Amino acid sequence: MSAPVRILTAVPICDGHDSAINTINLEFIRHGIEVVYLGFHRYAGDIVRAAIQEDVGAIGISSYNGGHVEFFAEVVRQLKKYNAADIKVFGGGGGTITHDDQRIMQRNGVDKIFFAGTSLGDMTQWVRQRYGTARKRSLGKSPDMKLARKLTEIEDSYAQRKRPRKKSAAKRHSLGKTRVLGFTGPGGAGKTTLIDEIVLRLLQREPKASVAILSHDPSVVGAGALLGDRATMINSQDDRVFMRSMATRGQAGGLSPATEDCLALLAQSDFDYVIIETVGTGQEAMPFQSKLIDQTVLVMNPDYGARLQLQKIVMLDLADIVVVNKSDLDRAKTAANEIERRLEGSKREQRLISTVAKRHRDRGVDKLCDLLMEKK
Amino acid sequence: MSKLGHVVEAVENYNRFVEDEVKRARSDKKFGRQMLERWDEIKRNIKIGTAPTGLKLPRLALPEIDEAGDITRYLLGEGLPGEFPYLSGAYREMYLEPWQEPKIELGSFEKNGRKKNGQNKNGHAENGASGLTKPKQAEEPTRLFSGLMLAEDTNKRFHFLSAHQRSKRLSTAFDGVTLYGIDSDADGVLGKIGEGGVAVDTVEDMMRLYDGFELGSPNFSASMTISGPAPIIMAMYIAAAKRRFGPEVVPNLRGTIQADIFKEVQAQNETIFPTEASLRFLGDMMEWTTRHMPRWYPVSISGYHIGEAGSTPVQQAAYTLSNGFAYAEMMAKRGLSADEFGPRLSFFLDCGLDVEYIALTRVSRRIWAIGMRDVFGAGPKAQLFKVHTQTSGRSLIAAEFRNNLTRTAAELMLAYMNGTNSSHSNSADEPFTTPSEEWIRLSAHSQAILLEESGIFKHVMNMLSGSPGMKAVERAVEAAILEEFRQIESLGGVMGAVENRYQRSQIQNAAHRYEEQIYNGTRPMIALNKYRNEHEEMPEFELARTPRAKQQLQVHRLQQFKKKNAKKAEQALEKLIGVVETDENCFPALMEAAEVCSLGQIVTRLQEVVGRFRPMV
């Protein structure tokens, strides 16, 4: 079995036209492609950084607001600058990109421009064929790229079933200053937003700190995956943040078969913080078996249903910190009380914090950040 | 329950009320007789006009009914044109040729006098007369949309476009850099400067943009198509007007700024601040302009972009109306009465080719009127759903693009069947480029051909309303809109639904279905998936691109401005964020800041206080 094709898609800066790319993303996913979607209104620099960290085969740019000749050229130029020209650039813009533009863009190093009227099927087939075969990889000069390519090797080896599933050899004490934080919780609780707000604070509070994020999204059964966390994580698109999006590739429980090895690699790579985020999990999930993780955070939505449901959530016994996010909702006070009672039963020193992650400068998130930064 | 829940109840109650009155007209003889008398009186007063062929026709067509219950259902359920609940029309005569007293000599007919009488494009009646006398020359319903390169280039275009117009009605498109509140000297945006619209960074650009136009004059109005940074752009417009004409110009300023932040979050994605902060800045601006600029429309509640993002027609109407009610609720909470803010709200809808469009605006007008009257206590002027309709850009395709003329003409026809206050017909070359003059001219003429050349709309009011098909669509559309309202209400109203990304995912699902239907052929697109010409060559157009030198000039001017105002800018920004941290209205401080700060400076500083918008994928 070969590894899925990974590509990154985005819409350029000052452009919010995401209707076309949303449809194209879905079509790609349906045909087995893993799409790291960066969202709309994105700087060339953010796109290139993400493409390198995610180690995608190609970048697809959907541009409808003009300035495409310059924008595509800038993306290609920056890829070259980081010695990552093996990551190809393709794109389209309906009728806004003319044939003359296309000629200039291809001279500038753009691989392919799709014109209006190209069928989704043709486009998908072309992308799979062109970027599906193993490319000649430059090893890369930057630490980001080296790390990214090692992560790809790990993921690919699992996909090709070359590597037996085994516990990582890394031991907690060998990690030095690095703190590893695990975030989990049901879908829609606001994990991604919360992590992004934590990252913002870490970067502000420790002007030299670096952060790695290992973020998971589910694979569609028998198909690709939409890896969309980057689109929401506006503060994590930063040179001090290394982010990698992983698809679960058929594994249940919130993580991917390759997670443990990838986490071990990141944890040994000299970051100050390594954050791992699971996909939205069910009540029985206990994703963080790894000994590498220092602290686990369970992020809850106040709307978990009847109080009895709490008894069934395994992570409430295991998490070091429980966060009730969206605590501006009507039910949040009740939820916090019920969860507090539930935690009393577990007889561990667990902390409970209420947050409103979507709120700028939220005090609850500040408090959570304090806890996560406390050295044990 | 949010006000939207009350609107649902109000519409249901009103529908029940109509049926109760129908029964009463049938059982209560006195009431029934009154209704019959009223009906007779209405019929007696209908004037008979003459078509150019000599055919005599009534200026108002009525259903052929003579029973008190049916008459009651018609008069209360639909209303005559210009009467609550305005299903048939917002005004009595709309597109009719002005009434000519038979004795007046034909030679005195003014060519431009036969526009919808007494209403300008946004539909507010300025000359209350209703077609009984020869009207004073009305404004042309044309709004000249332009925006390219730098302010002086757009200004030149404005002068060119409006040279032969009595009224100067300019509509401004901004470039992406401005729409996202970014300064032209920011890293990575140079290629985008002046693309797709005009670059505006400072009050000085704003002065250049409208140079030579009398901003306070009654026959000038400016429209600005911008939402994310709208309050800041508005502040800059006011600052520019004050510099040119003194502070006394402010109450006379007339125009529209789009400013619709809900549809940005739901569909168009041009957002800068978190939704709640955006709404606060918008509310501050709306409150201030409502109190101090009585001729200004501070928000254009837009379904257009919702439709263009791929929504169904019902979703478009439902989200637009519910957004409108949410703005109304916001203004009511600030202590303004519906009669104060209601007339300052206007709407902007998309019209495509799906069958719902036969009645979409008609039904919207009815729901808006009932909601405004029965939930917000609005009087007649504040009940009117004043709407500008643009034909669908999304329905136009590149393959054999000349077909787009037919598509646009059909859409325009639908828009007039709904009695839109004003309209914009798209140019057939839009799939490729900013419209060229040749195709703009054709699209503008399509409006004139339908309204002026053809007899469809100019002789008889109610020409197409009231048909069984129209009524069937109206009923189905109203029920579907109310169902959408209930969904939104169940998520906590518009804001709650936005946070649950309800509207967004509904729109995206509809967009995907639309694309799938095109690709699997169940939605015919002529010359694309049906009757396709395999040998067609793509046409090449001259595209309007902004030269690099102009882009650099914009950057240079901005940097000069910043240098010149560095000290004052810092003080103004300090003052601004001081106010933003309180509950006070920050618009006055924003106007001060706009005098000395660039757009990007203001946005950046505000983002430090309120945060940045986090996209919802």
Side-chain angles (χ1 to χ4, degrees):
Chain A
M1 227 182 114
S2 63
V5 184
R6 275 169 69 89
I7 62 161
L8 179 141
T9 59
V11 177
I13 191 74
C14 302
D15 193 343
H17 294 85
D18 64 348
S19 188
I21 195 67
N22 278 328
T23 297
I24 293 165
N25 281 345
L26 277 194
E27 191 70 12
F28 283 167
I29 292 159
R30 243 179 247 159
H31 290 89
I33 298 173
E34 287 181 1
V35 179
V36 180
Y37 179 49
L38 202 54
F40 52 85
H41 184 40
R42 289 301 180 187
Y43 282 100
D46 286 348
I47 292 174
V48 169
R49 185 196 306 109
I52 290 173
Q53 294 180 350
E54 301 286 357
D55 194 28
V56 291
I59 299 171
I61 299 173
S62 179
S63 166
Y64 280 80
N65 224 9
H68 40 265
V69 173
E70 293 85 350
F71 192 84
F72 278 70
E74 179 61 18
V75 171
V76 172
R77 193 189 65 76
Q78 289 198 26
L79 284 169
K80 278 190 191 140
K81 180 177 127 192
Y82 293 109
N83 205 18
D86 57 327
I87 299 176
K88 299 297 175 199
V89 178
F90 69 100
T96 65
I97 301 179
T98 65
H99 285 88
D100 283 345
D101 291 343
Q102 176 222 21
R103 283 185 280 275
I104 300 169
M105 291 162 85
Q106 290 192 326
R107 266 206 305 279
N108 289 341
V110 173
D111 206 21
K112 170 91 177 171
I113 294 296
F114 291 103
F115 290 101
T118 314
S119 83
L120 289 176
D122 291 350
M123 197 185 304
T124 308
Q125 201 189 357
W126 191 91
V127 166
R128 277 174 58 93
Q129 276 177 2
R130 178 83 168 184
Y131 307 123
T133 45
R135 63 188 197 268
K136 217 172 149 190
R137 290 154 184 279
S138 52
L139 271 175
K141 289 174 188 161
S142 71
D144 268 14
M145 187 147 51
K146 281 183 195 150
L147 185 55
R149 301 216 153 157
K150 278 189 206 158
L151 289 170
T152 305
E153 266 173 40
I154 297 174
E155 267 201 297
D156 285 358
S157 64
Y158 275 95
Q160 293 151 0
R161 305 210 192 288
K162 279 183 192 157
R163 188 182 288 238
R165 291 188 191 188
K166 56 169 186 179
K167 284 262 180 277
S168 157
K171 290 284 184 307
R172 178 63 194 96
H173 59 79
S174 65
L175 302 184
K177 61 167 187 174
T178 304
R179 289 179 68 73
V180 184
L181 312 168
F183 282 74
T184 188
K191 294 183 292 294
T192 309
T193 301
L194 186 64
I195 292 172
D196 192 48
E197 286 293 313
I198 292 291
V199 170
L200 173 68
R201 284 162 177 78
L202 293 175
L203 296 179
Q204 282 172 348
R205 291 182 191 186
E206 296 185 24
K208 286 190 176 153
S210 60
V211 181
I213 303 169
L214 197 56
S215 150
H216 292 78
D217 272 312
S219 296
V220 182
V221 175
L226 178 68
L227 308 171
D229 286 343
R230 275 183 182 269
T232 308
M233 302 182 78
I234 48 178
N235 300 306
S236 303
Q237 312 305 312
D238 188 287
D239 285 339
R240 285 195 281 147
V241 180
F242 179 95
M243 177 165 174
R244 180 70 171 222
S245 311
M246 292 176 78
T248 53
R249 296 190 179 174
Q251 178 166 297
L255 300 171
S256 140
T259 301
E260 179 72 14
D261 287 352
C262 290
L263 181 63
L265 175 60
L266 287 174
Q268 290 165 319
S269 299
D270 216 27
F271 291 101
D272 296 273
Y273 297 92
V274 175
I275 295 175
I276 172 168
E277 178 191 5
T278 70
V279 304
T281 52
Q283 294 174 330
E284 80 294 356
M286 32 184 206
F288 298 131
Q289 305 292 307
S290 172
K291 297 275 184 292
L292 297 170
I293 297 176
D294 294 301
Q295 266 181 316
T296 56
V297 181
L298 171 64
V299 187
M300 300 274 297
N301 190 325
D303 288 327
Y304 47 74
R307 188 174 159 189
L308 184 67
Q309 298 301 325
L310 293 179
Q311 295 308 318
K312 310 179 197 169
I313 299 173
V314 178
M315 269 309 289
L316 277 171
D317 295 306
L318 302 176
D320 299 305
I321 301 170
V322 177
V323 172
V324 181
N325 191 32
K326 305 191 177 179
S327 63
D328 55 334
L329 294 182
D330 291 342
R331 229 195 88 78
K333 271 227 166 83
T334 316
N337 286 334
E338 290 179 355
I339 293 171
E340 194 167 14
R341 297 279 296 282
R342 166 73 169 78
L343 295 181
E344 279 165 15
S346 80
K347 303 209 165 66
R348 284 182 56 224
E349 260 191 57
Q350 290 166 291
R351 302 292 294 264
L352 176 65
I353 293 180
S354 293
T355 59
V356 186
K358 66 162 190 188
R359 190 189 285 157
H360 190 55
R361 301 189 298 198
D362 179 64
R363 290 287 179 78
V365 180
D366 288 344
K367 244 168 82 183
L368 175 62
C369 193
D370 294 342
L371 279 184
L372 296 173
M373 290 172 73
E374 258 173 35
K375 306 287 177 204
K376 276 190 178 162
Chain B
M1 197 189 284
S2 84
K3 294 281 187 198
L4 190 61
H6 293 294
V7 170
V8 174
E9 286 181 356
V11 176
E12 288 168 341
N13 287 341
Y14 188 77
N15 291 343
R16 265 195 300 275
F17 161 78
V18 172
E19 286 312 307
D20 288 348
E21 290 292 277
V22 170
K23 279 185 208 140
R24 188 157 78 95
R26 286 171 180 162
S27 58
D28 175 342
K29 285 216 172 101
K30 193 176 160 212
F31 180 60
R33 209 167 41 243
Q34 280 172 4
M35 293 309 285
L36 288 169
E37 280 164 16
R38 198 178 150 208
W39 191 242
D40 282 341
E41 197 198 332
I42 292 165
K43 289 206 279 194
R44 265 200 311 279
N45 285 325
I46 295 173
K47 293 199 160 45
I48 306 296
T50 311
T53 51
L55 189 71
K56 303 274 184 207
L57 283 168
R59 286 171 68 83
L60 172 65
L62 293 174
E64 293 177 6
I65 47 178
D66 53 11
E67 186 270 324
D70 291 339
I71 290 167
T72 305
R73 183 179 287 117
Y74 175 73
L75 288 177
L76 296 180
E78 299 194 18
L80 292 175
E83 285 183 15
F84 188 87
Y86 309 105
L87 185 78
S88 345
Y91 301 98
R92 274 184 56 190
E93 302 227 317
M94 219 62 220
Y95 315 125
L96 292 195
E97 278 185 343
W99 175 247
Q100 300 289 307
E101 285 300 341
K103 282 173 194 162
I104 293 178
E105 282 174 40
L106 273 172
S108 68
F109 190 85
E110 284 278 349
K111 186 165 177 287
N112 281 317
R114 42 122 200 66
K115 289 284 185 236
K116 39 188 171 152
N117 174 36
Q119 292 136 23
N120 71 12
K121 170 200 170 230
N122 285 314
H124 39 283
E126 290 187 339
N127 135 8
S130 48
L132 294 172
T133 53
K134 185 166 162 268
K136 70 175 183 191
Q137 283 198 335
E139 286 189 304
E140 300 92 336
T142 334
R143 237 225 217 265
L144 302 157
F145 192 49
S146 182
L148 72 166
M149 301 195 227
L150 307 193
E152 58 270 33
D153 302 302
T154 301
N155 179 265
K156 221 168 113 189
R157 187 76 174 250
F158 279 152
H159 281 287
F160 166 74
L161 288 170
S162 67
H164 303 294
Q165 302 262 328
R166 289 184 309 280
S167 47
K168 311 290 180 187
R169 303 164 57 73
L170 312 178
S171 183
T172 318
F174 296 90
D175 69 0
V177 188
T178 309
L179 291 172
Y180 280 95
I182 298 175
D183 272 348
S184 293
D185 63 348
D187 279 342
V189 303
L190 189 67
K192 297 270 182 184
I193 297 173
E195 286 287 322
V198 60
V200 170
D201 290 300
T202 68
V203 61
E204 291 174 5
D205 294 328
M206 201 58 106
M207 291 171 74
R208 277 189 278 271
L209 183 56
Y210 300 109
D211 188 38
F213 292 104
E214 290 287 317
L215 301 190
S217 137
N219 64 9
F220 177 86
S221 96
S223 167
M224 290 179 273
T225 305
I226 191 164
S227 289
I232 306 166
I233 291 293
M234 186 73 235
M236 260 180 203
Y237 183 78
I238 296 171
K242 280 200 230 167
R243 282 199 192 181
R244 289 182 51 208
F245 303 100
E248 59 280 5
V249 74
V250 175
N252 298 326
L253 293 176
R254 184 168 159 231
T256 307
I257 189 158
Q258 192 168 70
D260 181 2
I261 212 68
F262 276 132
K263 66 96 176 156
E264 292 296 342
V265 180
Q266 291 159 3
Q268 208 186 359
N269 300 332
E270 285 158 15
T271 33
I272 295 173
F273 308 110
T275 312
E276 280 167 29
S278 292
L279 286 171
R280 184 258 174 110
F281 297 145
L282 171 63
D284 284 356
M285 173 189 84
M286 285 171 70
E287 185 183 346
W288 196 91
T289 59
T290 301
R291 293 190 197 281
H292 297 97
M293 293 164 60
R295 313 188 72 201
W296 194 268
Y297 290 92
V299 60
S300 167
I301 304 156
S302 304
Y304 192 79
H305 319 84
I306 292 172
E308 291 293 294
S311 81
T312 66
V314 163
Q315 287 167 353
Q316 185 201 160
Y319 303 157
T320 309
L321 284 165
S322 55
N323 292 347
F325 286 122
Y327 291 129
E329 188 170 358
M330 191 166 96
M331 286 295 99
K333 271 190 189 151
R334 288 170 176 252
L336 285 122
S337 76
D339 288 333
E340 285 175 285
F341 68 75
R344 306 325 309 155
L345 302 177
S346 66
F347 291 84
F348 173 27
L349 291 182
D350 195 359
C351 188
L353 289 169
D354 282 310
V355 63
E356 291 92 325
Y357 286 112
I358 287 174
L360 202 71
T361 306
R362 301 163 64 82
V363 174
S364 301
R365 201 159 49 223
R366 185 178 191 269
I367 293 175
W368 183 251
I370 295 171
M372 284 302 282
R373 190 189 77 168
D374 295 350
V375 177
F376 291 92
K381 274 192 174 168
Q383 294 164 6
L384 282 190
F385 182 83
K386 289 177 279 195
V387 62
H388 174 70
T389 306
Q390 182 170 343
T391 58
S392 166
R394 192 173 63 132
S395 70
L396 307 185
I397 54 176
E400 294 187 51
F401 79 100
R402 288 172 186 81
N403 286 326
N404 293 336
L405 282 173
T406 311
R407 295 188 178 97
T408 299
E411 289 161 354
L412 205 50
M413 174 99 180
L414 290 171
Y416 293 144
M417 283 163 69
N418 281 275
T420 187
N421 296 81
S422 64
S423 50
H424 174 105
S425 38
N426 287 331
S427 182
D429 58 350
E430 264 190 41
F432 307 100
T433 173
T434 302
S436 59
E437 271 167 35
E438 178 193 356
W439 292 97
I440 286 182
R441 193 169 164 78
L442 292 179
S443 73
H445 281 179
S446 67
Q447 300 199 15
I449 290 170
L450 280 176
L451 286 185
E452 301 174 28
E453 193 171 312
S454 97
I456 309 174
F457 298 102
K458 65 178 174 180
H459 302 305
V460 182
M461 273 308 276
N462 276 356
M463 177 65 92
L464 294 159
S465 70
S467 78
M470 177 81 85
K471 296 210 71 60
V473 177
E474 282 167 1
R475 269 194 292 274
V477 164
E478 182 181 283
I481 291 175
L482 292 183
E483 190 47 41
E484 275 290 337
F485 281 5
R486 288 187 200 99
Q487 288 290 328
I488 294 169
E489 180 62 21
S490 76
L491 293 165
V494 170
M495 197 60 199
V498 161
E499 283 182 11
N500 280 287
R501 56 188 304 288
Y502 171 72
Q503 295 95 335
R504 241 184 121 71
S505 59
Q506 288 290 99
I507 295 166
Q508 283 176 4
N509 290 344
H512 293 148
R513 193 174 55 190
Y514 182 93
E515 292 298 328
E516 269 173 7
Q517 287 168 342
I518 292 174
Y519 285 109
N520 69 25
T522 54
R523 178 179 279 274
M525 298 284 266
I526 303 309
L528 181 67
N529 63 6
K530 212 172 183 182
Y531 316 130
R532 187 177 177 129
N533 173 5
E534 298 297 338
H535 308 291
E536 194 200 5
E537 295 259 318
M538 277 260 281
E540 287 285 333
F541 288 91
E542 263 308 290
L543 296 194
R545 294 270 165 80
T546 308
R548 181 51 61 100
K550 279 189 186 286
Q551 295 173 330
Q552 282 159 343
L553 173 64
Q554 182 67 12
V555 171
H556 174 74
R557 285 201 297 221
L558 170 62
Q559 286 171 341
Q560 293 293 107
F561 178 91
K562 284 182 178 173
K563 216 160 124 189
K564 183 171 71 186
N565 293 299
K567 213 168 165 188
K568 285 184 195 158
E570 191 45 42
Q571 288 165 352
L573 290 171
E574 280 301 314
K575 184 171 171 191
L576 173 63
I577 57 166
V579 183
V580 169
E581 300 267 17
T582 70
D583 292 337
E584 268 175 62
N585 190 319
C586 68
F587 194 68
L590 201 53
M591 285 188 289
E592 285 179 42
E595 297 270 0
V596 288
C597 303
S598 68
L599 174 61
Q601 285 176 319
I602 296 175
V603 167
T604 311
R605 188 62 70 92
L606 287 175
Q607 283 178 330
E608 285 167 17
V609 184
V610 303
R612 287 189 291 157
F613 179 72
R614 189 184 297 280
M616 294 186 272
V617 174

